[in-house]
Amino acid sequence: HVDESQWNYKGDLDFQINRQNRAKFGFQWTDFKNRELEIHGIERRRLGENGRNEFNYKPRMLGVYVQNRTDLGDFIFDYGIRYDRLDPVDNWGRRNGDNLGDRFFVKILNAWSPRFNVAFPVTDRSQLRFSYGTFSQVPGMTTIFTELNPGDLQFSRTQAFETGISFLPANDVVLDVVAYYRDVDGNV
């Protein structure tokens, strides 16, 4: 039996500082409640209350960000940073190779993720743009709290680059050419 639930809370504030700057900041909070229960069979989970094989963990995840859009007429800059934190609270898990009954406290994960975009006109009918961003993703709860965890899991990190040019060959037609690059590190 596996039971998982999440409570997600999110808030954003978006406001115009002046004619050139528009700021935005916000947060995301997630409470996880996970429970796995096995009555007989496999001994891969620790014994819980009443002698049952039971796994009960309630990690929390926090994300906060701040960003700004600066519009200087022809040039537009978007830049910001995001902070992510996974706190397993006082949960216990298993690593690959642990004996039944060994205690392993999953470590707190932290990540900073910067982002940057710039766009500017090349001619009166074309625009060039560049963007870069780092994105973090938490590994699956099953990986973190079971023997699939090698003991040193981190956030999966993606670095993404994009460049593109938009051209208007006619008033009702847009030609958009884009090149992407993505590098993913830490996927499990």
Side-chain angles (χ1 to χ4, degrees):
H1 169 72
V2 176
D3 179 29
E4 178 177 320
S5 64
Q6 293 182 19
W7 285 89
N8 293 294
Y9 308 94
K10 185 174 175 14
D12 299 297
L13 182 59
D14 190 344
F15 57 97
Q16 193 77 29
I17 298 173
N18 55 35
R19 189 190 85 66
Q20 289 89 13
N21 292 288
R22 179 179 176 186
K24 186 175 184 181
F25 64 90
F27 75 94
Q28 180 177 357
W29 176 268
T30 305
D31 266 325
F32 296 92
K33 291 187 172 103
N34 298 280
R35 184 172 180 209
E36 294 183 44
L37 176 66
E38 285 187 17
I39 302 298
H40 24 182
I42 303 171
E43 291 187 19
R44 62 188 192 110
R45 290 180 177 61
R46 292 182 178 73
L47 292 178
E49 296 175 15
N50 304 323
R52 297 179 298 185
N53 269 342
E54 185 173 31
F55 228 174
N56 192 11
Y57 44 96
K58 300 175 184 178
R60 291 180 274 203
M61 192 162 63
L62 169 69
V64 293
Y65 72 92
V66 61
Q67 69 184 53
N68 190 49
R69 178 184 177 100
T70 302
D71 186 345
L72 301 175
D74 287 341
F75 291 91
I76 299 172
F77 301 97
D78 283 309
Y79 47 92
I81 193 161
R82 179 180 171 97
Y83 171 73
D84 290 294
R85 175 185 176 96
L86 173 70
D87 185 356
V89 190
D90 57 351
N91 303 305
W92 43 271
R94 281 187 71 164
R95 288 175 294 192
N96 189 8
D98 278 355
N99 293 317
L100 192 62
D102 286 350
R103 293 181 63 80
F104 169 66
F105 290 89
V106 181
K107 64 183 173 184
I108 293 172
L109 302 179
N110 297 289
W112 291 94
S113 303
R115 285 122 196 228
F116 178 80
N117 304 308
V118 62
F120 55 91
V122 178
T123 68
D124 63 336
R125 300 184 67 79
S126 62
Q127 180 189 50
L128 189 61
R129 66 186 181 280
F130 300 98
S131 70
Y132 165 80
T134 301
F135 306 89
S136 300
Q137 183 176 356
V138 69
M141 295 299 160
T142 303
T143 304
I144 293 173
F145 291 103
T146 65
E147 65 273 359
L148 299 174
N149 186 346
D152 60 350
L153 281 180
Q154 293 292 326
F155 282 104
S156 171
R157 304 279 289 170
T158 301
Q159 291 186 354
F161 300 89
E162 176 185 322
T163 186
I165 188 164
S166 298
F167 178 70
L168 284 93
N171 287 339
D172 58 350
V173 177
V174 175
L175 176 64
D176 197 20
V177 178
V178 182
Y180 301 92
Y181 173 77
R182 237 175 63 157
D183 182 27
V184 180
D185 185 34
N187 267 352
V188 268

